[in-house]
Amino acid sequence: NREIKTNSLMALDPSAFEVLQPSSFLSFTIPSPCPSLSAALLRVAVLDSPLQLPSSHSAPVVAAILVPKHRENDWLFSTESGQLQLLLSSPGVQRLILIGDEPSNSTDSSTFYRRPSPAETDSQKKLLPILQHLVIALSPKSCFQDQSFEVPFLCYEDNVVSSIVLEKCVGSFVGEMLVEDVEIERDFEGRREFRRRLRFKRMPNLIQTEIRIVPKTNFGSDAMGIGGEVKFCPDVGVLVHVYLVPMVASLALIASCIEERTRLGFKPKALCVGVGGGALVGFLRSPLGFKVVGVERDEEVLRIARTYFGLEDEECVRIHVGDAMEFMEELAYPAGGHKAMNKGSIDACKVVDPKFDVVMVDLDSEDPRGGINAPSLEFIRKSVLLAARSILCEYGILVVNVIPSTKSFYDTLINQFREIFNELYEIDVRNGENFVLIAKVLPTASSVSDSENGFLQKLRVVISRAYMESLRKI
């Protein structure tokens, strides 16, 4: 992997681009061929897919992306990990070429972003035919079997209108991370929408946590804006992260059992494996009234959660720092567990009642090179799943956010769960990425009718019934 600054493309070794080299990454900076339409310098990155090469009988698929104006400093476009995720999310593409303005070292330009005006977007589009010669020159030699070969430019779009980085910091486990406030496109009723997000540099296109934020004081709609005088605070009473809503909707499966326990004076209990910004922890605590135990490996992530995302330490919320899988195994096997734990983790386990109504898992892969994958491979070890089953009460459920990198990964996951649990259900989040997998310890029956079920009525008030009705037994 190399980065080069050169005054001319001719100064580069052409043989570096003639054949696909799986997982290769090369970036360089050149003068813009049309400075009136861009910055004086352009940064070019050429990435080859780590996945299977095309057959010798077919030409490799090459595509290019013109980095959106003002986004050149975003980790998604300025880091190798972000660019790799763009490549892996472009089906069938074996080489991806990214071209954008050279990232600026200015503090203002790296922290604040506003979507380009239509005039700026039109101006940037005029670069495409000029850059076609460049991207063809950077394509593998085998592409030229087709005399009419051209490289398509893919269009990157998201819903961000403006954003400002509130803080960048480094965690001992997750590495570099940032907190940003963003304004997204208006909702279907035309209202302005503001969010706070946590992202990790190792996988910058994956939003780790997202919550709604509201202005601390009343301002007219036109006066509000990201990066202005208006100060925002977290609204923890609503879930906006797309897969968290169906995760909570899975509680409908055990609503009658929770209601029966509540009538006997017991609060429902949840274990959150992976806390992040704490959106799920806060929502389970209020408005749903759970006692919540959370486990997060990185203490800096928890500091960020408390500072920016409204996570609070209170009587019904206990957060532990450590490896979540070791924590579950220690709860399940307190006489020694499957692994040695540090004294702080063992002491924490001793004060936790080791039976939960639900265990909710939100862990992604630590290695971005294989694309986004959740849960982590470490979680689906048989010993971990047995520990999860052991700490659930007899009607309890294990709820897992799943982002399958391949169909075989999802099939393997389901087969592993079938060996341990009695029943499996799934909810398709319908975003083309996430599924929620739900595993039940035992089938349950209850004499509580839906109309008499106070917990179910509460759940239907705060969660879309569409997800509850889309629960599918598998």
Side-chain angles (χ1 to χ4, degrees), residues 208-453:
Q208 299 290 335
T209 299
E210 181 172 26
I211 62 170
R212 176 181 288 170
I213 52 175
V214 294
K216 290 185 176 180
T217 53
N218 291 325
F219 285 84
S221 176
D222 293 337
M224 288 192 296
I226 294 297
E229 296 181 2
V230 179
K231 301 299 181 184
F232 291 87
C233 61
D235 178 5
V236 296
V238 62
L239 291 175
V240 295
H241 213 161
V242 62
Y243 64 86
L244 293 185
V245 179
M247 286 185 76
V248 173
S250 67
L251 293 171
L253 283 172
I254 57 170
S256 58
C257 299
I258 290 177
E259 177 64 15
E260 288 178 351
R261 293 265 296 165
T262 302
R263 291 180 183 182
L264 294 173
F266 297 98
K267 277 184 173 291
K269 292 175 51 193
L271 173 64
C272 289
V273 177
V275 173
L280 184 58
V281 170
F283 193 81
L284 290 171
R285 170 66 189 97
S286 175
L288 292 179
F290 274 72
K291 286 184 176 180
V292 186
V293 176
V295 188
E296 172 58 52
R297 193 167 185 176
D298 198 311
E299 200 155 9
E300 185 70 358
V301 171
L302 292 177
R303 181 190 70 81
I304 289 294
R306 294 179 177 115
T307 304
Y308 295 101
F309 291 88
L311 180 65
E312 296 181 349
D313 296 295
E314 52 181 302
E315 182 182 352
C316 289
V317 175
R318 308 191 66 165
I319 306 297
H320 301 285
V321 179
D323 183 281
M325 286 161 280
E326 289 184 3
F327 187 88
M328 286 195 300
E329 290 180 342
E330 182 64 27
L331 284 179
Y333 316 110
H338 287 203
K339 290 185 177 181
M341 296 180 66
N342 62 60
K343 185 178 183 299
S345 296
I346 293 173
D347 290 344
C349 290
K350 287 180 180 177
V351 297
V352 173
D353 179 358
K355 288 294 182 181
F356 297 90
D357 301 279
V358 60
V359 174
M360 293 199 170
V361 180
D362 187 11
L363 297 173
D364 60 72
S365 170
E366 299 164 14
D367 185 357
R369 291 174 295 178
I372 300 174
N373 209 60
S376 61
L377 292 175
E378 292 79 8
F379 180 80
I380 61 175
R381 297 196 316 263
K382 189 171 183 177
S383 62
V384 175
L385 295 179
L386 284 169
R389 188 186 191 281
S390 179
I391 62 176
L392 286 166
C393 58
E394 63 179 13
Y395 61 82
I397 55 174
L398 173 65
V399 182
V400 184
N401 171 42
V402 181
I403 307 176
S405 56
T406 62
K407 184 179 183 301
S408 63
F409 172 82
Y410 195 41
D411 291 342
T412 299
L413 187 67
I414 289 173
N415 289 334
Q416 291 280 84
F417 275 51
R418 283 196 196 281
E419 290 185 18
I420 309 297
F421 293 92
N422 189 277
E423 293 180 349
L424 295 183
Y425 296 80
E426 79 168 8
I427 300 176
D428 185 349
V429 181
R430 300 192 183 282
N431 64 344
E433 189 169 80
N434 298 76
F435 293 85
V436 173
L437 188 61
I438 307 109
K440 290 187 72 173
V441 174
L442 293 171
T444 53
S446 172
S447 58
V448 179
S449 68
D450 285 0
S451 61
E452 297 174 327
N453 191 329

Side-chain angles (χ1 to χ4, degrees), residues 75-187:
W75 283 343
L76 180 57
F77 300 101
S78 64
T79 66
E80 183 179 349
S81 57
Q83 294 162 354
L84 175 61
Q85 295 308 309
L86 289 172
L87 169 59
L88 295 175
S89 62
S90 304
V93 174
Q94 279 100 31
R95 173 171 290 177
L96 183 66
I97 304 166
L98 290 99
I99 306 173
D101 292 345
E102 185 178 38
S104 168
N105 293 322
S106 163
T107 302
D108 289 342
S109 66
S110 64
T111 60
F112 183 75
Y113 161 78
R114 186 172 298 281
R115 181 181 284 178
S117 66
E120 287 178 306
T121 301
D122 290 342
S123 176
Q124 193 180 37
K125 286 180 179 178
K126 293 177 182 177
L127 270 174
L128 298 182
I130 300 171
L131 294 174
Q132 184 64 222
H133 300 291
L134 171 62
V135 294
I136 287 177
L138 296 174
S139 298
K141 188 162 55 175
S142 56
C143 290
F144 301 104
Q145 299 168 5
D146 182 355
Q147 298 299 317
S148 59
F149 170 68
E150 283 193 2
V151 177
F153 274 86
L154 307 180
C155 182
Y156 179 85
E157 294 181 345
D158 60 19
N159 63 352
V160 176
V161 175
S162 61
S163 66
I164 187 166
V165 175
L166 303 181
E167 183 179 342
K168 288 184 178 181
C169 58
V170 180
S172 59
F173 177 69
V174 305
E176 290 185 70
M177 66 186 110
L178 63 80
V179 181
E180 60 185 353
D181 282 354
V182 303
E183 178 176 359
I184 61 174
E185 293 169 350
R186 294 175 186 255
D187 67 12

